[in-house]
PDB file of all heavy atoms in Angstrom:
ATOM      1  N   ILE X 265      63.639  84.650  72.291  1.00  0.00           N
ATOM      2  CA  ILE X 265      64.798  85.160  72.753  1.00  0.00           C
ATOM      3  C   ILE X 265      64.886  85.000  74.296  1.00  0.00           C
ATOM      4  O   ILE X 265      63.882  85.217  75.025  1.00  0.00           O
ATOM      5  CB  ILE X 265      64.852  86.754  72.550  1.00  0.00           C
ATOM      6  CG1 ILE X 265      64.805  87.049  71.041  1.00  0.00           C
ATOM      7  CG2 ILE X 265      66.003  87.306  73.139  1.00  0.00           C
ATOM      8  CD1 ILE X 265      64.193  88.316  70.620  1.00  0.00           C
ATOM      9  N   VAL X 266      66.054  84.534  74.815  1.00  0.00           N
ATOM     10  CA  VAL X 266      66.184  84.256  76.173  1.00  0.00           C
ATOM     11  C   VAL X 266      67.161  85.316  76.869  1.00  0.00           C
ATOM     12  O   VAL X 266      68.205  85.465  76.290  1.00  0.00           O
ATOM     13  CB  VAL X 266      66.771  82.845  76.540  1.00  0.00           C
ATOM     14  CG1 VAL X 266      66.828  82.660  78.032  1.00  0.00           C
ATOM     15  CG2 VAL X 266      65.641  81.759  76.029  1.00  0.00           C
ATOM     16  N   ILE X 267      66.768  85.893  77.901  1.00  0.00           N
ATOM     17  CA  ILE X 267      67.543  86.993  78.505  1.00  0.00           C
ATOM     18  C   ILE X 267      67.921  86.705  79.816  1.00  0.00           C
ATOM     19  O   ILE X 267      67.176  86.243  80.681  1.00  0.00           O
ATOM     20  CB  ILE X 267      66.684  88.433  78.622  1.00  0.00           C
ATOM     21  CG1 ILE X 267      66.241  88.712  77.197  1.00  0.00           C
ATOM     22  CG2 ILE X 267      67.537  89.507  79.260  1.00  0.00           C
ATOM     23  CD1 ILE X 267      65.176  89.772  77.125  1.00  0.00           C
ATOM     24  N   ALA X 268      69.346  86.570  80.115  1.00  0.00           N
ATOM     25  CA  ALA X 268      69.829  86.250  81.339  1.00  0.00           C
ATOM     26  C   ALA X 268      69.757  87.765  82.218  1.00  0.00           C
ATOM     27  O   ALA X 268      70.084  88.778  81.617  1.00  0.00           O
ATOM     28  CB  ALA X 268      71.287  85.901  81.241  1.00  0.00           C
ATOM     29  N   GLY X 269      69.367  87.564  83.463  1.00  0.00           N
ATOM     30  CA  GLY X 269      69.170  88.782  84.298  1.00  0.00           C
ATOM     31  C   GLY X 269      67.818  89.464  83.884  1.00  0.00           C
ATOM     32  O   GLY X 269      67.809  90.752  83.733  1.00  0.00           O
ATOM     33  N   GLY X 270      66.871  88.685  83.787  1.00  0.00           N
ATOM     34  CA  GLY X 270      65.630  89.119  83.099  1.00  0.00           C
ATOM     35  C   GLY X 270      64.865  90.192  83.995  1.00  0.00           C
ATOM     36  O   GLY X 270      63.949  90.815  83.438  1.00  0.00           O
ATOM     37  N   HIS X 271      65.298  90.426  85.234  1.00  0.00           N
ATOM     38  CA  HIS X 271      64.601  91.365  86.196  1.00  0.00           C
ATOM     39  C   HIS X 271      65.438  92.592  86.159  1.00  0.00           C
ATOM     40  O   HIS X 271      65.017  93.666  86.996  1.00  0.00           O
ATOM     41  CB  HIS X 271      64.398  90.759  87.516  1.00  0.00           C
ATOM     42  CG  HIS X 271      63.383  91.606  88.212  1.00  0.00           C
ATOM     43  ND1 HIS X 271      63.728  92.494  89.295  1.00  0.00           N
ATOM     44  CD2 HIS X 271      62.025  91.781  88.311  1.00  0.00           C
ATOM     45  CE1 HIS X 271      62.663  93.019  89.914  1.00  0.00           C
ATOM     46  NE2 HIS X 271      61.587  92.553  89.227  1.00  0.00           N
ATOM     47  N   GLY X 272      66.497  92.735  85.577  1.00  0.00           N
ATOM     48  CA  GLY X 272      67.262  93.959  85.479  1.00  0.00           C
ATOM     49  C   GLY X 272      66.649  95.271  84.755  1.00  0.00           C
ATOM     50  O   GLY X 272      65.559  94.924  84.021  1.00  0.00           O
ATOM     51  N   GLN X 273      67.024  96.293  85.143  1.00  0.00           N
ATOM     52  CA  GLN X 273      66.295  97.490  84.595  1.00  0.00           C
ATOM     53  C   GLN X 273      66.436  97.660  82.981  1.00  0.00           C
ATOM     54  O   GLN X 273      65.440  97.999  82.463  1.00  0.00           O
ATOM     55  CB  GLN X 273      67.012  98.863  85.274  1.00  0.00           C
ATOM     56  CG  GLN X 273      66.920  98.995  86.736  1.00  0.00           C
ATOM     57  CD  GLN X 273      67.318 100.279  87.295  1.00  0.00           C
ATOM     58  OE1 GLN X 273      66.785 101.299  86.887  1.00  0.00           O
ATOM     59  NE2 GLN X 273      68.494 100.189  87.909  1.00  0.00           N
ATOM     60  N   ILE X 274      67.486  97.177  82.485  1.00  0.00           N
ATOM     61  CA  ILE X 274      67.532  97.291  81.031  1.00  0.00           C
ATOM     62  C   ILE X 274      66.805  96.047  80.513  1.00  0.00           C
ATOM     63  O   ILE X 274      65.966  96.077  79.503  1.00  0.00           O
ATOM     64  CB  ILE X 274      69.053  97.185  80.618  1.00  0.00           C
ATOM     65  CG1 ILE X 274      69.640  98.552  80.927  1.00  0.00           C
ATOM     66  CG2 ILE X 274      69.116  96.851  79.062  1.00  0.00           C
ATOM     67  CD1 ILE X 274      71.129  98.503  80.607  1.00  0.00           C
ATOM     68  N   ALA X 275      66.832  94.875  81.199  1.00  0.00           N
ATOM     69  CA  ALA X 275      66.253  93.717  80.667  1.00  0.00           C
ATOM     70  C   ALA X 275      64.692  93.907  80.603  1.00  0.00           C
ATOM     71  O   ALA X 275      64.053  93.435  79.730  1.00  0.00           O
ATOM     72  CB  ALA X 275      66.625  92.461  81.564  1.00  0.00           C
ATOM     73  N   LEU X 276      64.016  94.494  81.617  1.00  0.00           N
ATOM     74  CA  LEU X 276      62.630  94.609  81.729  1.00  0.00           C
ATOM     75  C   LEU X 276      62.144  95.581  80.558  1.00  0.00           C
ATOM     76  O   LEU X 276      61.158  95.255  79.916  1.00  0.00           O
ATOM     77  CB  LEU X 276      62.164  95.245  82.978  1.00  0.00           C
ATOM     78  CG  LEU X 276      62.199  94.222  84.216  1.00  0.00           C
ATOM     79  CD1 LEU X 276      62.103  94.921  85.530  1.00  0.00           C
ATOM     80  CD2 LEU X 276      61.089  93.080  83.946  1.00  0.00           C
TER      81      LEU X 276
END
Side-chain angles (χ1 to χ4, degrees):
I265 300 155
V266 178
I267 302 170
H271 195 258
Q273 295 185 67
I274 290 172
L276 286 168

